[in-house]
Amino acid sequence: MDAQGRGRAENIDPADQWVLNPDTGDYELRLSPSAGQSSVPGPRGSSPRQGGRGRSAPGRERSRPDERDERREVPGQRRRRVKEPEPGSGGRRKQNPRKSKGKPKSKGKKVMVWTGGTLAFLLVAGCTGGYLYYQHLNDNITSIDDDGAGTGGFSKDRAINILVMGTDKRSGSGNKGYGDEGSAGHADTTILLHVSKDRTNATALSIPRDMIVDIPDCPTKQKDGSEKVIPGSQKVRFNESLGQSDRTPSCTMRTVTKITGMKMDHFMVADFNAVKTLSSAVGGVDVCLAKDIDDPKSHLKLSKGKHTIEGEDALAFVRTRHSVGTGGDLSRIELQQQFLSALMRKLKSNDTLTNPKKMFSLAEAGTEALTVDSTIADIMKLKDLGMELGKLDMKNLSFATVPVIDNPAETVHTTVVPDPVKSEQLFAMMRADQSLTVVKKREKKEKAAVAARLKGPKADASDVRVDIYNGSGKTGAAQTTLTWLQNTGGVLKSSQLGNAPSDIKKTTLEYAPDQADQARRLADIMGLSGAALKPGKSEKNAQGLPAMKLTLGGDFKGAGVPIDASSKAPKDIKKVGADKVMCAK
């Protein structure tokens, strides 16, 4: 019997019985002829751990006796036992993959499917095991209701938005002395991960905790099943969207949606213990420093150069800010992005992917350390999400931060506000599913034809004649656009003709061939892309004169706000590819 009380008489390490199938990239249980039934931990027939949080993963040993008592604590969290998968949905394959029809995927290609540029991979890395292990990991999961703030779940046929939050709540053994121990916690670190519809690229957008925002009212489900509306707050720090006033992660979701115009599919919350256990499970994270750092507040003390850190050192690394950059939160964000990039590279490495012990430790640590929304609180759903994210090539994952400026309302600047121009340009790119990296998927001929619509002479604004219809679903959109075009854009020969026959998703501008110069001018004024321009025929306005037809769609965000995203990121925006090794300064 092994130290965890789960082994057989032969004292075989369960993790050693899981072998990577080179044809499929999956881990499969391989027992010797003399071996008995699987010793994979399950919810029955195993010694329960203290605290009722499940069992330890194969090959994983606790480093200290009190570690098993550590419990994550997130505002509003509710423990639930998720639905178990149907028998036969996991475990060994019934069919020999070598005998299946079609050419088997290469090991490298299949392994790439299991790698990903997001923390969600940590939750699914070891989920190809047997039925009992699925049950065991399901028992580990802690979830919180999304209170209707999300989409209801990701879909394979559209882009994916996941909100990853790190709370500074000082919960769990070993986390004393990190600051305000009595605090309910805040949204200390927040990253919006946007994965494109075609899965060719992704943007991980950091949201500064000290950014001034408006937090909306947040309907929140209570433990007794009732609903309570937590009142919103105006012009407060973003980090108050979690923990404060009993706000749960769903409130942070609503706040991010209000800021960016993007609705979240899921959220994941990590506390201090998550950083420590996940970094240790992967065998340490490789980081680089451009100078010596000795920060007594975060307890980080590392010399200049490269280091492999885990546990307490990893936590200190992501918490430090006084000894890097300008000493503020924006500098700390850059450090955290470097850490996450390095963690993802480690996950992608063969040293991790071909090591069953590490894979099982990751699955165990991930399901224990992270809290997720209830719509994804099932190993099979997490596996499906991980498979979608695993299609992403890390070289096309970019880290960026919301562009900000100093808060103009302050004499002594301690907070920031979104840069009104650059932030909206970046949000528009993400809403339009455009990458910060160069990814060309559309056929060159089609792309060239669309781009050509914007090339050529432009008429004077005073010569542009256009009728405006409102198909956006937003009351008064056509009138406000008309007023803006006349007063600001100089488009005096314009009129609004009320609502379109039905709501449409995308803004379009229809014009006749001899109005192309007018169309290009209006596109320049309103920020329309070539895709919004629809060559065709013109209509006659109320005076019987030919006029272009502008129909505002669901992508309309307000008069004067560019409707279509630029193909380029805002100037001076800091973005770092996840495949790049950077040294913190």
Side-chain angles (χ1 to χ4, degrees):
M1 190 70 71
D2 63 13
Q4 299 296 330
R6 300 189 313 273
R8 294 185 56 79
E10 297 91 336
N11 198 29
I12 298 175
D13 189 329
D16 291 334
Q17 299 175 357
W18 293 85
V19 180
L20 181 68
N21 187 322
D23 294 319
T24 66
D26 289 345
Y27 283 97
E28 300 178 356
L29 184 61
R30 303 283 179 84
L31 298 178
S32 63
S34 60
Q37 68 181 49
S38 169
S39 55
V40 178
R44 293 177 291 276
S46 302
S47 301
R49 285 197 347 223
Q50 295 181 13
R53 295 265 334 265
R55 271 72 43 194
S56 296
R60 182 185 183 209
E61 296 182 359
R62 299 289 186 179
S63 59
R64 59 182 192 273
D66 64 340
E67 185 177 349
R68 67 184 64 197
D69 293 326
E70 295 184 359
R71 298 176 64 95
R72 66 204 128 129
E73 189 173 350
V74 179
Q77 77 175 29
R78 291 180 285 278
R79 191 82 173 140
R80 68 187 289 267
R81 184 183 179 89
V82 297
K83 183 179 179 181
E84 297 175 352
E86 295 295 328
S89 61
R92 286 176 287 179
R93 295 176 178 270
K94 295 181 180 180
Q95 181 180 7
N96 188 338
R98 297 179 184 274
K99 296 181 180 180
S100 61
K101 295 182 179 180
K103 183 179 180 180
K105 293 182 179 180
S106 67
K107 174 182 176 183
K109 184 175 181 180
K110 184 67 178 181
V111 165
M112 279 300 298
V113 174
W114 278 102
T115 64
T118 71
L119 287 176
F121 173 77
L122 299 175
L123 295 173
V124 299
C127 296
T128 57
Y131 172 57
L132 293 179
Y133 197 61
Y134 278 127
Q135 291 179 311
H136 166 69
L137 292 181
N138 269 338
D139 287 342
N140 280 353
I141 297 175
T142 294
S143 68
I144 305 174
D145 203 293
D146 73 353
D147 299 312
T151 63
F154 78 96
S155 174
K156 294 182 179 181
D157 59 357
R158 58 178 170 81
I160 298 175
N161 294 317
I162 302 174
L163 196 63
V164 182
M165 292 170 270
T167 175
D168 59 359
K169 184 175 180 61
R170 278 69 175 170
S171 61
S173 176
N175 289 326
K176 305 297 182 181
Y178 282 144
D180 185 5
E181 297 179 11
S183 172
H186 304 78
D188 195 51
T189 299
T190 305
I191 295 177
L192 166 55
L193 176 68
H194 173 81
V195 184
S196 67
K197 178 180 178 179
D198 61 10
R199 310 296 187 251
T200 62
N201 63 85
T203 299
L205 182 67
S206 293
I207 302 176
R209 67 176 189 179
D210 294 328
M211 187 172 74
I212 299 300
V213 300
D214 291 339
I215 299 175
D217 292 344
C218 299
T220 307
K221 185 179 294 184
Q222 305 299 298
K223 292 182 179 180
D224 61 3
S226 63
E227 182 179 277
K228 173 184 177 182
V229 177
I230 300 176
S233 301
Q234 285 67 50
K235 299 187 183 306
V236 296
R237 281 179 166 87
F238 172 80
N239 67 355
E240 294 185 22
S241 65
L242 177 66
Q244 306 304 298
S245 303
D246 295 326
R247 294 186 176 110
T248 67
S250 67
C251 194
T252 307
M253 291 178 79
R254 297 183 193 276
T255 304
V256 172
T257 297
K258 184 177 180 65
I259 295 169
T260 65
M262 303 168 66
K263 198 162 186 178
M264 304 299 106
D265 295 303
H266 301 289
F267 67 72
M268 298 180 181
V269 184
D271 61 9
F272 285 170
N273 286 327
V275 177
K276 292 189 288 187
T277 57
L278 291 173
S279 61
S280 295
V282 79
V285 176
D286 301 326
V287 297
C288 179
L289 297 176
K291 63 179 181 180
D292 296 343
I293 291 184
D294 187 356
D295 186 352
K297 293 189 176 182
S298 69
H299 311 297
L300 179 67
K301 186 174 183 179
L302 291 175
S303 60
K304 175 182 177 180
K306 297 180 180 180
H307 300 271
T308 300
I309 58 176
E310 62 178 283
E312 292 289 347
D313 287 338
L315 177 60
F317 187 87
V318 299
R319 292 187 63 243
T320 195
R321 61 188 175 96
H322 298 287
S323 300
V324 294
T326 59
D329 184 54
L330 295 179
S331 296
R332 187 182 68 152
I333 285 176
E334 294 180 13
L335 207 66
Q336 292 170 345
Q337 291 175 347
Q338 180 199 142
F339 178 85
L340 288 175
S341 296
L343 175 60
M344 293 168 189
R345 289 194 296 271
K346 191 64 174 287
L347 284 170
K348 184 180 176 181
S349 69
N350 286 334
D351 180 54
T352 300
L353 292 170
T354 60
N355 188 323
K357 288 186 178 181
K358 284 187 178 180
M359 297 291 275
F360 277 90
S361 293
L362 280 168
E364 190 78 18
T367 52
E368 286 193 341
L370 302 180
T371 297
V372 300
D373 64 275
S374 54
T375 63
I376 199 70
D378 179 271
I379 289 300
M380 297 304 294
K381 291 181 181 179
L382 289 168
K383 176 179 177 291
D384 289 341
L385 175 60
M387 294 295 283
E388 287 299 301
L389 300 176
K391 298 173 183 177
L392 177 69
D393 190 331
M394 275 188 56
K395 70 180 181 181
N396 293 327
L397 168 64
S398 299
F399 281 92
T401 304
V402 174
V404 294
I405 58 175
D406 289 333
N407 186 355
E410 296 177 335
T411 303
V412 178
H413 297 298
T414 57
T415 61
V416 295
V417 296
D419 184 302
V421 177
K422 293 181 180 179
S423 64
E424 177 53 37
Q425 187 177 349
L426 181 57
F427 300 154
M429 283 189 70
M430 296 175 69
R431 289 194 298 265
D433 211 18
Q434 292 184 346
S435 173
L436 296 182
T437 58
V438 180
V439 180
K440 297 180 180 180
K441 190 166 181 75
R442 185 183 297 172
E443 293 293 334
K444 291 183 179 181
K445 183 181 294 187
E446 178 187 355
K447 185 174 182 180
V450 170
R453 297 172 190 168
L454 297 174
K455 295 180 180 179
K458 300 180 180 68
D460 291 337
S462 60
D463 292 331
V464 173
R465 184 178 285 108
V466 60
D467 290 337
I468 307 169
Y469 293 84
N470 182 13
S472 69
K474 301 176 178 65
T475 303
Q479 182 59 49
T480 57
T481 299
L482 173 67
T483 302
W484 181 82
L485 282 175
Q486 292 182 340
N487 295 340
T488 305
V491 183
L492 301 179
K493 298 177 182 178
S494 53
S495 59
Q496 70 93 1
L497 299 183
N499 293 332
S502 60
D503 291 348
I504 61 173
K505 293 183 178 180
K506 298 288 185 179
T507 297
T508 59
L509 176 62
E510 299 176 57
Y511 59 96
D514 61 351
Q515 296 172 319
D517 57 344
Q518 294 183 45
R520 286 189 285 266
R521 174 57 67 191
L522 190 62
D524 183 60
I525 293 172
M526 297 191 64
L528 294 172
S529 71
L533 273 58
K534 305 296 182 184
K537 61 181 182 179
S538 63
E539 297 183 349
K540 290 186 177 181
N541 62 12
Q543 290 75 40
L545 299 173
M548 297 185 296
K549 181 181 179 181
L550 174 67
T551 306
L552 302 175
D555 53 357
F556 174 79
K557 300 301 177 184
V561 178
I563 291 179
D564 283 296
S566 168
S567 60
K568 296 182 179 179
K571 293 182 179 179
D572 304 323
I573 186 175
K574 291 184 177 179
K575 58 181 186 295
V576 179
D579 60 330
K580 301 293 190 300
V581 178
M582 306 292 290
C583 291
K585 299 180 180 180

